[in-house]
Amino acid sequence: MSEHTEGRGRGTGQGGPGSAVRDHDDTAPLSRRSVLRNALTASAATLLPSAIDLNVARTKAEGAIRGRDAPITFADVAAQAEQRAASPYAPPPEALPPELANLSYDGYRAIAYRPAESLPLGRRFSAQLFHRGFLQRKRVDLFLQPRQGAPRALAYEARLFDLGPGLAGRSFPPDLGFAGFRLHYAFGDASGPQEEFLVFLGASYFRLRGRGQEYGLSARGAAIGTGAPGGEEFPDFVAHWICEPQPEAQSLTVLSLLDSPSLSGAFRFEAEPGDPSRLRVTASLHPRKPIAQLGLAPLTSMFLHGQNGPGARDATAFDDFRPQVHDSDGLLVETPGDRLWRPLVNGRKGPQISAFRAEALNGFGLLQRERRFAAYLDVQARHEARPGLWVAQARPERQASAEAVAGPRGFGPGAVQLFEIPSREEYMDNVVAAFVPREAAAPGRALALDYTLTTVGAEPAPVLPGELARVVSTRVGSAERLRPTEPPSPERRLYVIDFEGPGLPAQPEADMAAEVSASAGRMIEPVVERVPQTGGWRLYVEWRPPAPMPPGDIVLRARLVRGNRPVSETWDAVA
């Protein structure tokens, strides 16, 4: 595996604008319950233009298409992004009609899009739109792109919504616009019921799920300065063009324009819902200013507590009837010849940044490997049904067939960076993973991206090929239970790591061994044995800490080998 580094990071706060943590409550796009109950997702801290300035915002989004009768293309959106990047950033206006600006949490939740008004998209797809108000203040320009002809702006109409008892009978101007949209799909027969599978709402956040899954973690268009001392910048999708598919199509394309003080960009999302669901992403990013830390294909999730207890040195345990609470339980990073699994942790005294450097990256993702209901016991949240997301560089043949995009490809030398922020609140997302190129972004140098996001459920999964066995659990406890000393030493820790999957022998007498290492202290007497109850193998290894303990985290690593050949992915954890 590539070089790995650890370091303490400075936080950017918890919640609100400029924070690496996004609101995770019932009206947030990162909510664990919002889409389970009513699919009314909403994000924290989005802003809205005044009615007077809405025409200015619309002019910016429509400028490249006015006066034409041809469909808009990704190249057209990329040209808009390049033009914006060459101009000073204009922040969106923030005013709303008082009735919407002053909405309460409950008042906003009461607003619901009328299903009968869903925008049909072929036989299998449809779209529903999100109202503005409360925290959903920023306007996003939405267009329908017919199969032929020019795009058509989607105008606001109050009749599209049940506004709830507090706003019943009210009307708002057509240029009020929308906060975002969601897509539905008939997973079964084309004439059957449609289910929501993709949401764009709040900054550049979007969420994807596969058939039978619940929403969990989120993806983003870009992450700028996550964990940096100056605070994080959140780019916005300012316009989307929903492209009408062929009547029997099972995929749908969305073109999107992104903007922020540091960056403008164009995106093409080709959605293929199913089991799994895939989102093929093509992007052209144009920096306005130098960006020292530009996170590509960022993923954002929640980890409160899991198998390994509090998960960090001196952390306080959670007083919770549920054994585990998380949307993701680990980061997977694959480079040529190796695959690394890092269990997520919570409970540090401050934010933590870990970097997994790679000269070449096959892919990375935040996954939910624990799939048993008994591990969570939450009937409503259904953490066991939350998807993982796997980010993989597009295949060379796909890059050749895609519309030409100027600039170097995004997944060259760099590092997958993991940001973990201490949290005691389930509604706060506190984990971010993104690929950060080695070379800093600079104005005048466009960056091209071609990658695929794929939902992951139970493993083994076809999207994660290879013969290496996977880490399925990490448990930590006192080593005194198995090797008591006099007097007892509470610092001694026993790590018990379970592996399952291909490449593991079925014979308990097989010549299996473990390679272990620690960046400080010692890993003592590793023992491996077959687990007949699961068909996997288990590693027991004691870690004896150094004295005195160094500041920061200590990195522990282990993998199973047979002869001189690795047969498992690399377990990578912090002590």
Side-chain angles (χ1 to χ4, degrees), residues 26 55 143 163 195 231 237 261 288 299 308 337 345 438 491 509 520 567:
D26 286 349
N55 288 331
F143 303 87
L163 296 176
E195 301 176 30
F237 283 130
R288 271 194 177 89
L299 307 175
N308 54 340
V345 300
R438 177 183 301 167
E491 290 81 14
E509 66 276 8
V567 294

Side-chain angles (χ1 to χ4, degrees), residues 515 559 561-566:
E515 294 179 347
R559 66 180 180 182
V561 296
R562 193 174 186 185
N564 294 322
R565 182 174 63 90

Side-chain angles (χ1 to χ4, degrees), residues 157-475:
E157 296 181 73
R159 66 173 183 81
L160 301 175
F161 297 88
D162 178 349
L163 296 176
L167 295 174
R170 293 301 312 271
S171 62
F172 300 98
D175 58 0
L176 178 69
F178 304 97
F181 69 99
R182 59 192 178 205
L183 294 175
H184 297 242
Y185 178 75
F187 284 99
D189 185 84
S191 60
Q194 295 185 359
E195 301 176 30
E196 179 182 343
F197 77 96
L198 178 60
V199 174
F200 286 86
L201 186 64
S204 68
Y205 283 81
F206 55 95
R207 295 208 291 181
L208 178 71
R209 74 172 188 90
R211 186 174 189 177
Q213 294 179 330
E214 302 288 351
Y215 280 126
L217 78 169
S218 296
R220 286 194 264 171
I224 300 176
T226 306
E232 184 167 2
E233 176 182 310
F234 290 92
D236 296 300
F237 283 130
V238 296
H240 297 283
W241 292 263
I242 305 170
C243 300
E244 183 181 17
Q246 295 292 332
E248 302 299 328
Q250 299 184 45
S251 64
L252 181 145
T253 297
V254 175
L255 303 176
S256 303
L257 180 63
L258 177 142
D259 205 13
S260 80
S262 299
L263 180 76
S264 188
F267 285 77
R268 177 176 55 209
F269 300 98
E270 300 170 63
E272 297 181 2
D275 182 16
S277 290
R278 294 183 179 86
L279 200 60
R280 296 175 176 173
V281 183
T282 305
S284 177
L285 304 181
H286 301 265
R288 271 194 177 89
K289 60 179 67 173
I291 305 174
Q293 184 174 297
L294 174 59
L296 306 178
L299 307 175
T300 302
S301 193
M302 177 273 292
F303 181 89
L304 201 63
H305 59 92
Q307 294 172 336
N308 54 340
R313 193 190 313 164
D314 301 325
T316 303
F318 284 84
D319 187 12
D320 195 326
F321 80 92
R322 298 165 298 178
Q324 302 183 43
V325 179
H326 48 75
D327 288 344
S328 307
D329 54 13
L331 169 70
L332 190 67
V333 180
E334 184 176 11
T335 56
D338 198 8
R339 199 172 70 198
L340 179 145
W341 174 256
R342 161 62 75 87
L344 299 178
V345 300
N346 186 22
R348 295 183 177 93
K349 293 181 179 179
Q352 174 75 17
I353 302 176
S354 304
F356 305 88
R357 295 179 181 170
E359 292 300 316
L361 178 69
N362 291 350
F364 73 96
L366 291 173
L367 304 185
Q368 183 81 313
R369 281 190 164 168
E370 179 56 80
R371 292 286 163 184
R372 299 173 300 120
F373 168 74
Y376 304 101
L377 300 178
D378 194 321
V379 177
Q380 295 179 346
R382 295 191 63 205
H383 293 103
E384 71 279 1
R386 303 293 176 97
L389 280 179
W390 180 248
V391 181
Q393 183 77 38
R395 297 183 300 272
E397 60 269 23
R398 168 171 162 72
Q399 292 183 3
S401 63
E403 288 183 51
V405 180
R409 298 290 159 180
F411 293 167
V416 175
Q417 293 193 0
L418 174 67
F419 305 88
E420 295 170 292
I421 299 173
S423 175
R424 304 292 295 181
E425 303 295 341
E426 184 178 353
Y427 56 82
M428 303 298 291
D429 271 1
N430 61 325
V431 176
V432 180
F435 179 77
V436 179
R438 177 183 301 167
E439 189 173 355
R445 290 168 44 199
L447 181 64
L449 299 179
D450 288 290
Y451 63 90
T452 301
L453 282 167
T454 306
T455 60
V456 180
E459 296 178 69
V463 72
L464 302 173
E467 298 181 354
L468 295 176
R470 63 193 179 278
V471 178
V472 296
S473 70
T474 300
R475 291 178 172 82

